[in-house]
Amino acid sequence: MLLRADTVLTGRKSLQPGWIDVVDSSIRAVGEGEPPVSVDRDLGAVTVVPGFVDSHLHGGGGANFSAADPEQTATAVAVHRSHGSTTLVASLVTADRDDLLRQVGTLARDVRSGLLDGIHLEGPWLSPHRCGAHQPALMRDPEPAEIDAVLEAADGAIRMVTLAPERAGAIAAIEQLTAAGVVVAVGHTEATYTQTRAAIDAGATVGTHLFNAMRPIDRREPGPITALLEDPRVTVELITDGVHLDPAIYRLVTKTVGYDRISLITDAMAATGMPDGRYDLGPLAVDVVDGVARVAGSDTIAGSTATMDQVLRSAVRYSDIPRDEALQAAVAQASVNPAAALGLPSAELAAGSAADLVVLDDQLTVTEVMRAGTWITAEPPPRPSTPGRRP
């Protein structure tokens, strides 16, 4: 299938016009200018970009990954794929040992089947002082035996683990996890600057939703944010959903670290693609009002209701650089950067890559999505009987 479009953003460069040659599930060639032979489809005045890589999300369409239910997982995946996320790493909130092993074992089957692209453990080895939408009573220190049990249950499916470096045994846990090929992120933490530096030196390479659920910067205690920003080995996650971060923070981070060290994420929960109401995030009840999710009875933000196309549009809008440049940067942050940070196959539109791509109109709205060489609908599927929603 030979495709042409007025603009193709590969994740590294802009081709105007551009063409993409797809064979089966892969890209055979990408080029600039008019295609060398007649095309199978001219997409016209659109922008084609790589499929989005969401490395941090909890559910959608009323469904929770923490339920470890195949039907709910498939529902959430379908909603996010329809918005351009062709690669999804399912995030699990803090749970007790038995639940954690059950969840990991079930989702590992979805990774092996290709429905998911990995599992992200956002807990249980976090700080109760920065618990966010997690149960503090279930948080605990990382112990080698529990880590071994989780890794065995996952059978290679765990892609990333977020932990708090100040917890007892955290540095040894980072070394244990990275030795097993797992990416370690710093988050939900009250760590000092020094403790965070030690975590990075031990192998941590990601900052989980930077600025959210972590000790803020102080003039005499720079804290984890400063340590994560200043180290070139670290990729930082940003939730540009209009709720978690002020636009000025996005601009500040891009000026501090450049565009190549940022991964856009949704941190989406079950209410994504659903109306306002009460939902679950792990064991916690969450109220969604005007699209903003908060732990029931509190002001604590509980993930988001965003999709990757939304955070992409916001990043472009937040930027103070020309729109074309901002879009190129945001596309890399939504695809190439998170894939690289998690050690996933390259998301760039290039020869040999998976044929995962998204078609955007001039308002940056998703009109079509291709995954593994197959076109899928750009509209969410019919809503289920709200499995993650409380009556």
Side-chain angles (χ1 to χ4, degrees):
M1 185 191 313
L2 184 60
L3 306 172
R4 179 207 174 276
D6 284 5
T7 301
V8 174
L9 301 181
T10 68
R12 297 293 186 192
K13 55 187 176 180
S14 175
L15 311 176
Q16 295 181 310
W19 53 269
I20 304 169
D21 187 13
V22 175
V23 177
D24 297 326
S25 62
S26 301
I27 295 174
R28 179 163 61 183
V30 176
E32 186 169 18
E34 295 302 331
V37 297
S38 61
V39 299
D40 296 297
R41 187 174 174 196
D42 190 337
L43 297 168
V46 299
T47 300
V48 177
V49 302
F52 305 137
V53 178
D54 195 348
S55 57
H56 187 153
L57 75 164
H58 298 275
N64 283 305
F65 291 132
S66 292
D69 173 79
E71 182 179 350
Q72 291 202 41
T73 298
T75 295
V77 167
V79 168
H80 287 282
R81 281 187 184 167
S82 74
H83 286 273
S85 293
T86 54
T87 298
L88 295 166
V89 176
S91 299
L92 296 174
V93 296
T94 295
D96 65 31
R97 179 188 169 101
D98 289 344
D99 275 348
L100 179 62
L101 292 175
R102 176 184 61 83
Q103 292 166 0
V104 166
T106 300
L107 291 181
R109 292 196 289 271
D110 295 320
V111 174
R112 289 192 289 272
S113 74
L115 187 64
L116 295 171
D117 299 277
I119 301 169
H120 164 216
L121 300 186
E122 191 182 15
W125 308 305
L126 309 176
S127 168
H129 302 291
R130 300 286 173 181
C131 59
H134 292 249
Q135 274 282 19
L138 297 177
M139 293 177 177
R140 51 197 181 269
D141 293 331
E143 296 182 350
E146 183 176 23
I147 292 173
D148 281 340
V150 170
L151 292 174
E152 182 178 359
D155 191 24
I158 293 178
R159 182 62 57 176
M160 181 167 68
V161 169
T162 295
L163 54 72
E166 70 273 22
R167 293 213 70 122
I171 299 303
I174 293 171
E175 294 170 344
Q176 181 180 0
L177 288 163
T178 56
V182 176
V183 174
V184 176
V186 172
H188 286 273
T189 178
E190 188 67 10
T192 65
Y193 173 85
T194 300
Q195 289 169 326
T196 308
R197 290 290 311 165
I200 297 169
D201 287 340
T205 55
V206 173
T208 295
H209 45 50
L210 197 72
F211 289 94
N212 290 281
M214 60 177 60
R215 177 201 284 257
I217 298 172
D218 182 84
R219 63 199 182 281
R220 284 188 287 272
E221 174 43 72
I225 295 170
T226 304
L228 293 165
L229 286 173
E230 73 177 6
D231 197 302
R233 294 171 290 183
V234 175
T235 298
V236 295
E237 296 179 347
L238 296 179
I239 312 172
T240 54
D241 64 341
V243 176
H244 284 77
L245 296 174
D246 188 274
I249 295 296
Y250 176 74
R251 292 192 292 271
L252 174 66
V253 174
T254 58
K255 288 179 172 62
T256 302
V257 307
Y259 292 101
D260 291 341
R261 287 179 50 207
I262 296 171
S263 288
L264 299 180
I265 61 167
T266 62
D267 200 10
M269 46 83 68
T272 301
M274 299 291 285
D276 287 355
R278 176 158 287 191
Y279 297 84
D280 293 328
L281 180 56
L284 296 180
V286 175
D287 287 331
V288 179
V289 179
D290 295 331
V292 179
R294 290 186 170 89
V295 175
S298 78
D299 291 329
T300 300
I301 296 174
S304 85
T305 61
T307 51
M308 283 295 288
D309 55 334
Q310 178 185 336
V311 298
L312 174 87
R313 288 190 294 270
S314 295
V316 173
R317 188 169 64 251
Y318 292 173
S319 296
D320 56 1
I321 60 177
R323 183 181 184 277
D324 288 350
E325 294 178 32
L327 179 56
Q328 286 193 66
V331 165
Q333 293 164 13
S335 58
V336 175
N337 296 358
L342 268 64
L344 293 164
S346 174
E348 183 181 358
L349 296 180
S353 295
D356 294 348
L357 56 87
V358 179
V359 181
L360 303 173
D361 65 16
D362 60 355
Q363 300 301 309
L364 305 185
T365 300
V366 175
T367 61
E368 295 185 82
V369 180
M370 175 183 283
R371 183 177 186 273
T374 300
W375 293 106
I376 62 175
T377 177
E379 292 296 326
R383 289 171 178 163
S385 55
T386 58
R389 190 182 185 195
R390 298 188 178 192

